[in-house]
Amino acid sequence: MAFLKVDKGSIPGQILELHGERMVLGRHPSCHIVLDNAAVSRQHAQILESHGQFYIEDLRSRNATMINGKPIAGRSELHDCDRISVCDVQFSFFLYAPVENIPESPKPAAATAPPDSPNPNADTQTQTPALPPAKDTPEGDDIAADESSIISTLNASSASSLRLDIKPEAKLRAILGISKALGNTLDLGEILDKILDGLFRIFPQADEGFILLKDEERNKLLVKATKVRRQEDETSVRISMTIVKQAMQDREAILSADAVKDSRFKLSDSLTQLQIRSMMCLPLLDQNEKALGVIQLDTKDIRRQFSQNDLDLMVSVASQASLAVDNARLHAELVTKRDLQRDLDFATQVQLGFLPTHPPEVSGYDFSDFYEAALGVGGDYFDYIVLPDGRVAISLGDVAGKGVPAALLMARLFSTSRLHLLTAPNVAEAMTRLNAEIVSSGVGHRFVTCVMMVLDPRTHALTVANAGHMAPILRNGSQQVSEIGADVSGMPLGIVSDQQFKQYQMQMKPEDSLVLFTDGISEGMNYANEIYGTERLASYVATGPQNMKSLVSGIVEDVETFCDGRPQRDDMCLVALQRTE
């Protein structure tokens, strides 16, 4: 195994493994080894491997590449312990030397693993710089200051105030590159893949990465995207919820040189088992600073640690990623709402297709009606059926609930009520059969209130059956009002399977008017939480217009005036008829 050891640079003592046939050193974020120095060329030099031999080649850099203090021209062979200088960054090259035999360069005191460290070689590992303890280590903790492998934490919402003097060209190019890629799509899956692809180009030391997003409905974090450097690791992406939860809870970007020995996570069994080493974990925040999830990169090799500069750059990229993820989520919600609205509009048209398009034309009678659903579709329903013998059946019902479920049951009520009114010997039997079918249909505990009437225009006889609905209001020629059929009303449909309904009979006299309504009319409510009520309705019917169309529109206007613009919670339905001669 060949590797470089950083003698002078952003992290003295850092170990960089040389893998593959070619590794490029330079300032550009796409380089395998990114050097934080403005004097370094974008692609400054490359290290090549051929049959176990290693060579370094200067890539026409501005400030040259040096071996053991001498500039090289073209390609030069590397030997064990050679000193490589790229501007102000200096490395030592080691060829197949065991880690414990690496010569030490002068640097701060080394970190020591805790006594219970799971690594049996902890006392022989390459030393790392002494670093401050975790900021949340409790006072009096027996962990020494130099035992923490924490490099830094950084507020994840502070990207706008980051130090742009740190690798400014690399940072801007990386952010612009990822921003351009993210700006071309609103598909969440594609966005997440592009984020990880971009980060792997920027951070060549990253071995694996993942993105978790919170599922609000299930209140769980779900893995939405993963990426590994090597094919053999495709099934082994390691996730520690200890780190993830802390990043989301504190809304801070976390950088750790060695997560296994990090004092913040020392009680996490998963970290010991997963052997997560140097890592960066950042929360993805929406515009309200709410955590949407996390993005994490980590490396398996402790000698290839992430640095503070890496964290600074990662936060800038994560802020762009957060915006893209939030936009994709909002776009998906908008598309879903648009699709639902389109389906709802179509359902509204279907439901209106069930309802009569115009009142029946019956000699000596005037009909009018009104229907308005509270949620586009609803559970109120009315119908007119001209029977074979010339009689006219009128039905009006109200399914418990609102919206699509109520509308579906209303559609069934529409078809079955027609069947039973056409085949039953009388209206009471039609209601009895309708109730038995609804009870046996398995629609759950929903019930339906309904009133059915059959009018014979030749004899002016009116027969009424009522299943728990408000009694129709009768207005006679003297402007007196009364409720009809209330004493023979049964329970709503769908409650008792063997219920036998009764019917009420009366004669329609000249100028008699009848109003059928649902509770969307009688229970209209104003901002003072006062109910319109059946008494107010009966009072208006008594003094309202003689013409049925004018009476129906007048009732609706009176309810709206009473409610004073307050949106109504229930469907509204009215049917009115009058004997005109």
Side-chain angles (χ1 to χ4, degrees):
M1 178 181 66
F3 46 87
L4 299 177
K5 177 171 174 284
V6 179
D7 296 324
K8 182 180 179 182
S10 59
I11 306 181
Q14 184 178 13
I15 302 299
L16 304 173
E17 181 184 353
L18 300 178
H19 53 83
E21 296 181 354
R22 176 176 180 265
M23 294 191 70
V24 178
L25 296 79
R27 197 177 72 251
H28 195 273
S30 64
C31 293
H32 299 91
I33 300 176
V34 180
L35 304 180
D36 179 18
N37 192 301
V40 175
S41 297
R42 290 190 298 170
Q43 285 86 29
H44 195 104
Q46 62 182 1
I47 297 177
L48 306 171
E49 187 272 334
S50 177
H51 304 289
Q53 297 295 318
F54 286 83
Y55 304 85
I56 186 167
E57 181 179 3
D58 186 81
L59 298 176
R60 303 176 64 86
S61 65
R62 290 174 299 167
N63 296 310
T65 303
M66 307 182 76
I67 297 180
N68 300 323
K70 297 180 179 180
I72 62 173
R75 183 177 302 182
S76 298
E77 186 176 353
L78 286 169
H79 302 91
D80 198 33
C81 297
D82 275 349
R83 304 286 180 171
I84 301 172
S85 298
V86 179
C87 299
D88 293 332
V89 184
Q90 297 179 6
F91 304 94
S92 292
F93 172 79
F94 296 100
L95 182 63
Y96 302 115
V99 174
E100 58 267 27
N101 293 333
I102 300 175
E104 296 183 10
S105 301
K107 55 183 179 288
T112 304
D116 59 349
S117 171
N119 192 331
N121 298 319
D123 59 344
T124 62
Q125 284 188 326
T126 304
Q127 293 177 324
T128 56
L131 298 165
K135 67 173 187 177
D136 55 349
T137 300
E139 186 176 353
D141 200 316
D142 58 0
I143 298 177
D146 63 347
E147 289 183 69
S148 172
S149 59
I150 301 166
I151 294 178
S152 181
T153 59
L154 188 63
N155 191 310
S157 62
S158 64
S160 61
S161 61
L162 296 176
R163 302 186 304 277
L164 289 177
D165 60 320
I166 296 177
K167 205 159 47 180
E169 182 180 354
K171 175 177 289 188
L172 291 176
R173 286 184 178 275
I175 294 175
L176 289 174
I178 291 182
S179 297
K180 182 178 179 181
L182 298 182
N184 294 329
T185 180
L186 284 170
D187 179 81
L188 182 59
E190 188 175 348
I191 284 174
L192 300 182
D193 290 339
K194 286 185 175 182
I195 291 171
L196 289 179
D197 288 344
L199 290 174
F200 267 54
R201 288 193 297 270
I202 296 170
F203 301 108
Q205 70 268 51
D207 288 314
E208 58 191 29
F210 61 82
I211 298 176
L212 302 181
L213 294 181
K214 188 173 183 180
D215 186 322
E216 295 293 345
E217 292 184 1
R218 298 166 60 184
N219 195 29
K220 289 184 178 180
L221 283 170
L222 302 179
V223 179
K224 292 295 186 178
T226 61
K227 186 175 178 65
V228 295
R229 180 75 65 183
R230 290 174 284 273
Q231 187 175 1
E232 59 267 25
D233 295 333
E234 284 185 354
T235 60
S236 61
V237 173
R238 301 164 295 177
I239 299 175
S240 168
M241 295 309 295
T242 301
I243 296 174
V244 168
K245 289 179 180 178
Q246 180 166 332
M248 292 188 65
Q249 178 179 340
D250 297 342
R251 293 195 295 279
E252 283 188 336
I254 297 174
L255 168 65
S256 183
D258 185 354
V260 173
K261 296 190 295 182
D262 198 320
S263 61
R264 290 172 294 182
F265 316 123
K266 64 179 181 177
L267 299 180
S268 173
D269 293 335
S270 64
L271 286 171
T272 303
Q273 296 169 3
L274 295 174
Q275 287 290 296
I276 292 177
R277 312 304 291 187
S278 183
M279 65 83 194
M280 294 186 292
C281 184
L282 295 91
L284 299 175
L285 306 177
D286 65 13
Q287 298 178 10
N288 299 317
E289 299 295 308
K290 180 181 178 182
L292 302 170
V294 298
I295 181 169
Q296 180 172 316
L297 296 180
D298 61 70
T299 177
K300 297 180 179 180
D301 195 338
I302 189 59
R303 295 163 300 179
R304 305 174 65 212
Q305 300 172 355
F306 294 110
S307 68
Q308 175 66 42
N309 294 355
D310 293 330
L311 183 68
D312 224 19
L313 177 56
M314 182 75 164
V315 171
S316 298
V317 174
S319 66
Q320 299 293 323
S322 297
L323 181 60
V325 169
D326 199 22
N327 286 342
R329 179 179 60 83
L330 293 174
H331 175 72
E333 291 177 359
L334 182 63
V335 170
T336 299
K337 289 180 180 179
R338 183 194 64 190
D339 292 343
L340 288 174
Q341 186 59 50
R342 183 174 59 229
D343 292 342
L344 185 61
D345 291 342
F346 178 72
T348 300
Q349 295 303 315
V350 171
Q351 183 177 40
L352 293 177
F354 283 119
L355 302 178
T357 57
H358 55 80
E361 297 181 0
V362 179
S363 178
Y365 285 85
D366 180 25
F367 288 83
S368 186
D369 50 64
F370 172 83
Y371 175 87
E372 184 176 79
L375 298 176
V377 292
D380 283 7
Y381 122 94
F382 73 99
D383 195 15
Y384 307 112
I385 308 170
V386 179
L387 302 177
D389 58 3
R391 294 178 300 160
V392 179
I394 305 104
S395 56
L396 181 143
D398 184 358
V399 177
K402 299 179 287 296
V404 174
L408 292 174
L409 186 51
M410 184 281 287
R412 178 164 188 167
L413 182 66
F414 174 84
S415 60
T416 54
S417 63
R418 281 196 159 216
L419 170 65
H420 297 306
L421 282 168
L422 286 167
T423 58
N426 54 60
V427 69
E429 181 61 22
M431 188 75 84
T432 299
R433 294 180 184 180
L434 179 60
N435 174 69
E437 181 169 338
I438 290 177
V439 171
S440 62
S441 64
V443 295
H445 299 288
R446 290 187 178 272
F447 61 88
V448 181
T449 65
C450 182
V451 59
M452 290 181 173
M453 302 188 303
V454 174
L455 171 67
D456 188 339
R458 295 166 298 183
T459 63
H460 307 295
L462 182 72
T463 308
V464 182
N466 194 327
H469 199 80
M470 286 81 65
I473 297 175
L474 174 67
R475 180 183 68 184
N476 60 26
S478 302
Q479 303 296 97
Q480 295 177 334
V481 296
S482 61
E483 296 180 344
I484 64 168
D487 54 340
V488 297
S489 177
M491 289 188 294
L493 304 174
I495 298 178
V496 180
S497 60
D498 58 354
Q499 182 176 191
Q500 298 294 317
F501 288 89
K502 299 178 181 180
Q503 60 187 32
Y504 172 84
Q505 291 182 322
M506 59 167 287
Q507 289 291 120
M508 289 288 290
K509 299 177 181 179
E511 297 185 0
D512 277 356
S513 302
L514 203 60
V515 176
L516 293 74
F517 60 96
T518 60
D519 57 8
I521 298 293
S522 58
E523 295 180 4
M525 183 179 295
N526 60 20
Y527 284 104
N529 293 326
E530 298 171 332
I531 298 295
Y532 183 76
T534 55
E535 291 185 4
R536 194 183 302 270
L537 174 61
S539 176
Y540 184 87
V541 170
T543 59
Q546 292 296 311
N547 177 270
M548 290 298 97
K549 184 176 182 179
S550 299
L551 179 63
V552 167
S553 61
I555 292 173
V556 173
E557 184 177 345
D558 194 53
V559 172
E560 291 177 348
T561 300
F562 174 82
C563 296
D564 194 24
R566 178 173 180 172
Q568 295 309 293
R569 302 171 299 171
D570 210 346
D571 310 325
M572 301 174 68
C573 185
L574 276 168
V575 172
L577 62 103
Q578 180 185 51
R579 180 181 172 184
T580 58
E581 58 183 41

